[in-house]
Amino acid sequence: TQLLEQSPQFLSIQEGENLTVYCNSSSVFSSLQWYRQEPGEGPVLLVTVVTGGEVKKLKRLTFQFGDARKDSSLHITAAQPGDTGLYLCAGRTNTGKLIFGQGTTLQVKP
Amino acid sequence: EAGVAQSPRYKIIEKRQSVAFWCNPISGHATLYWYQQILGQGPKLLIQFQNNGVVDDSQLPKDRFSAERLKGVDSTLKIQPAKLEDSAVYLCASSPTGLTGPGYGYTFGSGTRLTVV
């Protein structure tokens, strides 16, 4: 069974701080996706990383795919209250299955 | 383009009753997924369709859950009979990609929040 371990599960920080969320697995994925989900809504895709070692930036968010395509990280610079939400990583298997980690609940206090 | 449509948005039923959820994916999307999400956790895959065929239903509790995707478009997920532990949000997602490759274009609906009392 392929599993994705996300850490930390909860994060409460002050506005302006930096943070990193990790997503780890013992399995290789054909791609790794990051989503953000707000209460009462479905997950919204932020980014897809495909190549080992790939780094993508989305404004203050930086996403990295591990060299072996088994792990990924999300780094937020100067967090803002609008970044509050549930962050989910998801790995796509070679059969097209999309498996999610447990999620990281981020609270950014003004 | 229109997103993934799901209905109803909310449903409250008593245990042992039955319930059905409906999903209309983005037009042309071949792959459709149903997920179960407990509050504050990551979604758990229940079933994956490719067109109108089942690709993976290994985590679907088949004694009470069933799903179909007629004509490779809309899909329904049914629970009969419901248990208290089925209380969750049921999410539908679709993607235009096939089974191989990195995949792209995943879009989720807003989900159906089920409460079993």
Side-chain angles (χ1 to χ4, degrees), chain A residues 30-31 33 35 37 40-45 48 50 86 88 92-103 105, chain B residues 9 33 35 37 40-43 45 48 55-56 58 91 97-106 108-110 113:
Chain A
S30 56
S31 70
Q33 304 176 10
Y35 292 81
Q37 185 177 23
E41 298 299 325
V44 174
L45 181 64
T48 300
V50 177
L86 178 66
L88 297 158
R92 178 175 156 99
T93 72
N94 57 8
T95 58
K97 188 189 298 189
L98 195 63
I99 298 170
F100 281 84
Q102 312 98 304
T105 299
Chain B
R9 282 282 274 150
Y33 306 82
Y35 287 87
Q37 187 177 26
Q41 297 182 15
L45 179 66
Q48 174 187 352
V55 175
D56 190 305
S58 57
L91 294 164
T97 57
L99 299 180
T100 59
Y104 62 92
Y106 285 86
F108 281 77
S110 296
R113 180 176 296 279

Side-chain angles (χ1 to χ4, degrees), chain B residues 66-78:
Chain B
S66 64
E68 60 181 7
R69 190 183 184 196
L70 298 176
K71 301 181 182 177
V73 183
D74 293 8
S75 178
T76 56
L77 175 69
K78 297 179 182 177

